[in-house]
Amino acid sequence: MIDKLIAKIKATDAPIVVGLDPMLGYIPNYIKEAAFKEYGETLEGAAEAVWQYNKGLVDAICDLVPAVKPQVAMYEQFGIPGLVAFDKTVKYCKEKGLLVIGDVKRGDIGSTSAAYATGHIGKVTIGANTFEPFNEDFITVNPYLGTDGIKPFVDVCKENDRGLFILVKTSNPSSGEFQDRLIDGRPLYEYVGEKVAEWGADCMSGDYSNIGAVVGATYPEQGKILRKIMPKTFILVPGYGAQGGKGSDLAHFFNEDGLGAIINSSRGIIAAYKQEAYAKFGETGYADAARQAVLDMKADINGAIKH
Amino acid sequence: MIDKLIAKIKATDAPIVVGLDPMLGYIPNYIKEAAFKEYGETLEGAAEAVWQYNKGLVDAICDLVPAVKPQVAMYEQFGIPGLVAFDKTVKYCKEKGLLVIGDVKRGDIGSTSAAYATGHIGKVTIGANTFEPFNEDFITVNPYLGTDGIKPFVDVCKENDRGLFILVKTSNPSSGEFQDRLIDGRPLYEYVGEKVAEWGADCMSGDYSNIGAVVGATYPEQGKILRKIMPKTFILVPGYGAQGGKGSDLAHFFNEDGLGAIINSSRGIIAAYKQEAYAKFGETGYADAARQAVLDMKADINGAIKH
């Protein structure tokens, strides 16, 4: 699966993933009004607004980027109707040729991780039939439970040609509270990084492994170290833009082949029309604003990584 | 919320939670056949089987225990129909007077954790209306991202009188891989335990905090230490029964007041009819077998903790 992501990154010349994290506050009023008119001010109404908003965004950016990353929490907050919108969004993005990274951050004991893997990137057999329930291409996974909580996800990736991005060093301000704790003089995230490399070693797909890592753009020095600890691991880098990470911080997340990382931006793209720089697009131009923000992000990042 | 759990533990004399983790292999054939006849061998058919199976279990045990703990992964594996069965199960359990611990192990950066908290234990406002999407009483949470990933959950607990159980030392064999790493001579899980106590300090509800911890029955020595580190923290203890934990291992998870812990069993109860000891109940007696298994578990645990 990582070979498909790399091929798409090369084809679009954009190591960029757009986070589809639809807060109600980001959605233009005209979309919400139309959805509420049809479904009322209900969970179904909110979910319809989310779906229409996403559809506009996906149509506007699908030729520019290799992948999208819907954050499932933003859909789960609207209960079942929200998850139906998540499911529709995943399917629509795949129809449009985008790879889908489900940002689900699941992780549990073995049998439970196996069930999550089945639901998100695997197949479930019911009698004589087989289904792929959510059918994402990649998902994010939490490593706190160790190898036996991760292995069922890795196994499903092997069976079904899918991929993972495992949390190593997260982008948030307090990520260091546990992740930076020193063990024999080295931070925990380095040990987690070593394990990610180990878990991925027999999951290669070309030059990179299907088992990737998450390292926040907000921690460029740690990214530099982790890049070396995990040379064949693709790194999903959140935290660019709204969270504070800049293009110039990102060079060290990439290998010398110009690959090895994909940078996520969510708010900075999908709610670009709310920024002064893109205000001219107006509410009804939210999708065009997102398109321009992707182009600007691409220039920023390629400027920083291509010397 | 923890005061409600304690009142129910006292009323039932059972510090026990039943894990509603319905694998298809546990569900009696007659239930699956009826569900497939109505909905086909589909995700909807599997979800109907899960729901009917759960309903039978809940009816059989609801007067014996204070709470149930549905593991959302077992529902997510059947996609949207599975999550509809999760939602129906939560609502039905609450109607039957049971408290519901949603075993969701969510956790992310601040704004995303806030969305998860909203969806599972909070309220979402849509126009002039307010909804409680999944409406569990407690949920489990993963601490890997640190304080700013936890605080949105704690805030929602305060606003909405709900509770958390935060992973500290998990029950699985490889939990020590990261959780036992020594930092200045003390394992990581002790630091996480200290943080859980700190996060819960201003969330008290009677003698205990609404912010609880998860510590596996399979690690009784660690449980003894964590009990002292987190004296006012209620501990959710998985790993009893099928995972290997015994009643005699559990005494140290409790405080001298006889409270402070609640022991989970899933497979050992809900699939009891598949064990030799309960085979006499047969497939159609699966719910009665579960009831007997709860009574036996209660005797085992109370025998161990009441001297």
Side-chain angles (χ1 to χ4, degrees):
Chain A
M1 181 51 73
I2 200 73
D3 56 335
K4 290 182 188 138
L5 181 60
I6 290 170
K8 280 180 177 289
I9 288 173
K10 287 180 179 168
T12 54
D13 191 30
I16 291 176
V17 52
V18 173
L20 295 176
D21 306 355
M23 297 296 292
L24 271 190
Y26 301 167
I27 303 179
N29 286 317
Y30 77 94
I31 293 179
K32 284 188 281 200
E33 281 161 15
F36 294 163
K37 196 172 170 190
E38 195 172 352
Y39 294 94
E41 289 175 340
T42 60
L43 294 174
E44 289 76 12
E48 171 67 11
V50 163
W51 159 243
Q52 293 297 341
Y53 173 63
N54 281 351
K55 197 168 169 298
L57 289 167
V58 170
D59 290 343
I61 59 150
C62 63
D63 61 320
L64 296 183
V65 293
V68 289
K69 182 175 74 63
Q71 167 52 260
V72 74
M74 300 306 170
Y75 304 82
E76 244 172 91
Q77 69 181 329
F78 301 118
I80 299 290
L83 286 158
V84 170
F86 175 82
D87 191 41
K88 278 165 82 171
T89 298
V90 171
K91 285 186 172 65
Y92 188 71
C93 291
K94 293 182 77 160
E95 273 172 40
K96 288 283 176 174
L98 291 160
L99 292 173
V100 177
I101 303 170
D103 197 353
V104 301
K105 295 193 179 67
R106 303 304 195 241
D108 208 299
I109 67 166
S111 53
T112 306
S113 283
Y116 278 129
T118 294
H120 287 279
I121 51 175
K123 293 185 170 96
V124 63
T125 300
I126 299 167
N129 300 321
T130 299
F131 301 89
E132 296 184 305
F134 287 107
N135 203 17
E136 295 121 289
D137 298 305
F138 295 84
I139 55 171
T140 57
V141 167
N142 185 307
Y144 190 68
L145 285 86
T147 296
D148 63 33
I150 297 290
K151 202 169 170 300
F153 289 106
V154 174
D155 291 345
V156 169
C157 286
K158 286 182 190 166
E159 287 160 23
N160 222 20
D161 188 25
R162 304 295 164 107
L164 306 178
F165 292 101
I166 300 171
L167 303 187
V168 173
K169 171 68 182 165
T170 57
S171 62
N172 56 315
S174 65
S175 71
E177 216 166 79
F178 303 126
Q179 296 165 26
D180 290 4
R181 288 280 188 166
L182 295 181
I183 297 151
D184 296 332
R186 295 172 60 212
L188 175 63
Y189 63 74
E190 290 192 19
Y191 292 91
V192 178
E194 283 172 1
K195 277 287 173 190
V196 169
E198 191 186 312
W199 292 325
D202 64 345
C203 243
M204 297 298 291
S205 163
D207 292 336
Y208 287 91
S209 172
N210 282 324
I211 310 306
V214 175
V215 182
T218 40
Y219 298 103
E221 288 306 312
Q222 291 86 335
K224 194 171 174 177
I225 293 161
L226 287 163
R227 180 65 287 166
K228 286 184 186 130
I229 289 177
M230 318 178 293
K232 293 174 189 304
T233 302
F234 226 83
I235 305 178
L236 170 64
V237 186
Y240 174 89
Q243 284 185 58
K246 293 181 191 68
S248 53
D249 294 333
L250 299 170
H252 296 302
F253 289 88
F254 291 84
N255 276 321
E256 283 179 15
D257 59 3
L259 294 168
I262 185 162
I263 317 299
N264 179 77
S265 179
S266 302
R267 244 177 305 172
I269 305 292
I270 68 173
Y273 76 101
K274 289 183 169 269
Q275 297 171 41
E276 212 180 305
Y278 304 100
K280 65 175 179 192
F281 288 97
E283 220 189 40
T284 54
Y286 80 98
D288 294 329
R291 184 176 175 88
Q292 188 56 51
V294 168
L295 291 169
D296 294 345
M297 179 178 171
K298 185 175 157 180
D300 182 37
I301 289 173
N302 284 339
I305 65 175
K306 292 181 183 176
H307 314 286
Chain B
M1 180 51 73
I2 200 72
D3 57 336
K4 290 182 188 139
L5 181 61
I6 291 169
K8 279 182 177 288
I9 288 172
K10 287 180 178 169
T12 55
D13 192 30
I16 291 175
V17 52
V18 173
L20 294 177
D21 306 354
M23 296 296 291
L24 271 189
Y26 302 166
I27 303 179
N29 286 317
Y30 76 93
I31 293 178
K32 283 187 280 201
E33 282 161 13
F36 294 162
K37 198 172 167 189
E38 195 172 351
Y39 295 94
E41 289 175 340
T42 60
L43 294 173
E44 289 75 11
E48 172 67 10
V50 162
W51 158 240
Q52 293 297 339
Y53 173 63
N54 280 353
K55 197 167 169 297
L57 289 166
V58 170
D59 289 343
I61 58 150
C62 62
D63 61 321
L64 296 183
V65 294
V68 290
K69 180 176 76 64
Q71 167 52 259
V72 74
M74 301 307 171
Y75 304 81
E76 242 173 91
Q77 70 180 326
F78 301 118
I80 299 291
L83 286 159
V84 170
F86 176 81
D87 191 41
K88 278 165 82 171
T89 297
V90 170
K91 286 186 171 66
Y92 189 70
C93 291
K94 293 182 78 160
E95 272 172 40
K96 287 283 175 173
L98 290 160
L99 291 174
V100 176
I101 303 170
D103 197 353
V104 301
K105 295 191 178 67
R106 302 305 196 241
D108 209 300
I109 66 165
S111 54
T112 307
S113 284
Y116 278 130
T118 294
H120 287 279
I121 52 175
K123 294 186 170 97
V124 62
T125 298
I126 300 168
N129 301 321
T130 299
F131 301 89
E132 296 184 304
F134 287 106
N135 204 15
E136 296 121 288
D137 297 306
F138 295 84
I139 55 171
T140 57
V141 167
N142 185 307
Y144 190 67
L145 284 88
T147 296
D148 62 35
I150 296 293
K151 203 170 170 298
F153 289 106
V154 174
D155 290 344
V156 170
C157 286
K158 286 182 191 168
E159 286 160 23
N160 220 20
D161 189 25
R162 304 295 163 107
L164 306 179
F165 291 102
I166 300 171
L167 302 188
V168 175
K169 171 69 184 166
T170 58
S171 62
N172 57 314
S174 65
S175 71
E177 219 164 80
F178 303 125
Q179 296 165 27
D180 290 4
R181 289 280 186 164
L182 295 180
I183 297 150
D184 297 330
R186 295 173 61 211
L188 175 62
Y189 62 76
E190 291 192 20
Y191 292 90
V192 178
E194 283 172 1
K195 276 287 173 189
V196 169
E198 191 185 312
W199 292 325
D202 63 346
C203 243
M204 298 297 292
S205 163
D207 292 337
Y208 288 91
S209 172
N210 281 324
I211 309 307
V214 175
V215 183
T218 41
Y219 297 103
E221 288 306 313
Q222 290 86 334
K224 195 170 172 176
I225 293 161
L226 287 164
R227 180 66 287 165
K228 286 184 185 128
I229 289 177
M230 317 178 292
K232 294 174 188 304
T233 303
F234 226 82
I235 304 178
L236 170 64
V237 186
Y240 174 89
Q243 284 184 57
K246 293 182 190 71
S248 54
D249 294 333
L250 299 171
H252 296 301
F253 288 87
F254 291 84
N255 277 320
E256 283 181 14
D257 59 4
L259 293 169
I262 185 162
I263 317 299
N264 179 78
S265 180
S266 302
R267 247 177 302 173
I269 305 292
I270 69 173
Y273 77 100
K274 289 185 169 266
Q275 297 171 42
E276 214 181 302
Y278 303 100
K280 66 175 180 195
F281 288 98
E283 220 189 40
T284 53
Y286 80 98
D288 293 330
R291 184 176 174 86
Q292 188 57 49
V294 168
L295 292 168
D296 294 345
M297 179 178 172
K298 184 174 158 180
D300 182 37
I301 288 173
N302 283 340
I305 64 174
K306 292 183 180 172
H307 313 285

